[in-house]
């Protein structure tokens, strides 16, 4: 929760075990290259949204070991004194590249690349992945919910259901990136400078002698933002009539209009009845807010039934991404220094999806200049450059006969340098700028990629040279 707290020890213990062994075997200065990527979009979606870079930057800036950390290792690990002395002056000295936060991303492309002495690469793995995984999960889930709601406002209400304080605070920020500009989490709103909102709980109504008195008192306190919770006793027979009475007495004379919130019951049926009654009584400007365990699937269902809901408050199913709560980001070695040069490395598996893509790489997004839409992502080796004035043939890395000739296109490099020689060289955009950028990113995709049911497969292709390198290393690893 505090940007300046020291999280260097937030790492899987085997990272330190390997680091100690690297040090004791003369490898502390050996440079390695690692890629962070993921293998599958949540909820069988067509894409994901990258979030968490802000926290990664703050974490890397503050990497260091305190004396109490070193003492912990001395008492609890069989580490050499030389290694413990090395940790006293430890800091990150390498390079990091990453997609801009808020970017649309796809499976199996390097979202973050770390090039540094191998001990440093190892120690940062756990925090880098947990930040990318959690924040990207929530941003992606939120964007799905926002798209299901159409032009209706989505608010993040998950503070009390998140898995801990950090998840709540960072989750609200990730939800903002995904398209939910309002949170119930006051701490997060203050920390990240965006809007907090909330009206009343059922306990407010219960605390007064009558529902009418509870509504009237609230309307006098907050006439400009009077959203009344009407399902404490009986939504249509009690809550709504009392709300309209208060609107008439307290808001109408001031030229104001209020709204109602429903948090239980058949939201489709109730919202239609409420809208009908409000309109019949002259409250056509009154808004209807719905909450209660909602997500993109329930919202789509509600709207298909003709629900008359103006905005949604989304809690547990957003902040926990309940329908698919694990974002499977991984961090793999793709290169190691050998005689002063980076030698490409590969991990081979019987599971095809677990075979890594070796070497130092660039990622390009290819846009059709006529439509402005993203057509494919293209991964090439670091030394390869794309000349957009020349045609480019791309092919599916698995089904190589599937080819496309790109003409009249733009190739956009996706990764930006974040750290150089241990110094942060990246200017972090504001949260609002990140959210606006993310919206444009999603808008650049074809509708077929964005649909929830069996989305079109967006291709992530390899250059011919990179594909050849990968195949040769696979064959070499298999002894063929």
């Amino acid at each position: 929760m505090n940007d300046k707290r020291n999280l260097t020890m937030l790492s899987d213990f085997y990272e330190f075990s390997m680091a100690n062994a690297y040090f004791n075997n003369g490898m502390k200065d050996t440079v390695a290259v690692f890629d962070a990527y993921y293998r599958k979009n949540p909820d069988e979606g067509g894409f994901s949204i990258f979030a968490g870079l802000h926290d990664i930057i703050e974490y890397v800036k503050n990497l260091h070991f305190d004396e109490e950390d070193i003492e912990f290792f001395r008492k609890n690990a069989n580490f050499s004194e030389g290694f413990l002395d090395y940790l006293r002056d430890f800091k990150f000295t390498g390079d990091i590249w990453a997609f801009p936060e808020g970017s649309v991303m796809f499976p199996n492309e390097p979202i973050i690349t770390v090039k540094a002495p191998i001990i440093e690469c190892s120690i940062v793995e756990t925090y880098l992945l947990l930040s990318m995984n959690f924040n990207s999960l929530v941003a992606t889930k939120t964007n799905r919910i926002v798209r299901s709601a159409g032009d209706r406002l989505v608010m993040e209400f998950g503070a009390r259901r998140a898995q801990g304080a950090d998840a709540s605070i960072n989750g609200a920020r990730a939800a903002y990136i995904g398209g939910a500009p309002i949170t119930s989490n006051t701490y997060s709103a203050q920390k990240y400078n965006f809007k907090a909102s909330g009206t009343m709980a059922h306990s407010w109504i219960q605390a007064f002698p009558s529902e009418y008195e509870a509504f009237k008192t609230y309307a006098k306190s907050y006439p400009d933002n009077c959203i009344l919770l009407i399902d404490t006793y009986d939504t249509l027979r009690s809550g709504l009539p009392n709300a309209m009475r208060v609107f008439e007495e307290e808001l109408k004379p001031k030229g104001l209009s209020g709204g109602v919130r429903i948090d239980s019951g058949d939201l489709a049926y109730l919202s239609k009845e409420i809208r009908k009654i409000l309109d019949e009584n002259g409250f056509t400007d009154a808004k209807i807010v719905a909450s209660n365990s909602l997500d993109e699937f329930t919202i789509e269902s509600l709207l298909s039934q003709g629900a008359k809901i103006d905005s949604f408050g989304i809690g547990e199913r957003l902040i926990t991404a309940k329908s698919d709560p694990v974002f499977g980001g991984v961090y793999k070695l793709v290169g190691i220094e050998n005689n002063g040069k980076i030698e490409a490395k590969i991990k081979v598996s019987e599971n095809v999806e677990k075979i890594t893509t070796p070497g130092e790489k660039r990622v390009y997004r290819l846009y059709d200049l006529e439509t402005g839409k993203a057509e494919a992502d293209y991964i090439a080796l670091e030394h390869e450059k794309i000349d957009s004035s020349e045609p480019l043939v791309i092919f599916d890395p698995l089904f190589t006969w599937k080819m496309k000739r790109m003409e009249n296109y733009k190739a956009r490099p996706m990764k930006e340098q974040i750290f150089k020689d241990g110094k942060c060289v990246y200017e972090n955009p504001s949260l609002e700028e990140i959210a606006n950028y993310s919206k444009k990113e999603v808008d650049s995709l074809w509708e077929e990629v964005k649909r929830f049911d069996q989305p079109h497969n967006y291709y992530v292709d390899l250059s011919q040279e990179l594909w050849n390198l990968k195949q040769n290393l696979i064959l070499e690893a298999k002894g063929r």
Side-chain angles (χ1 to χ4, degrees), residues 218-227 251 254-258:
Y218 193 88
K220 286 181 176 180
S221 298
Y222 304 105
D224 294 319
N225 183 32
C226 185
I227 305 296
L251 303 186
K254 299 181 176 72
L256 301 172
S257 60

Side-chain angles (χ1 to χ4, degrees), residues 20 23-24 77-86:
N20 175 67
F23 180 90
N24 292 326
N78 187 27
F79 293 166
S80 71
E81 284 299 318
F83 176 64
L84 297 183
D85 286 339
Y86 161 79

Side-chain angles (χ1 to χ4, degrees), residues 11 22 30 57 84 116-117 149 202 320 346 397 428 477:
S11 184
Y22 285 138
T30 298
I57 290 172
L84 297 183
H202 294 104
T320 66
I346 193 168
N428 229 355

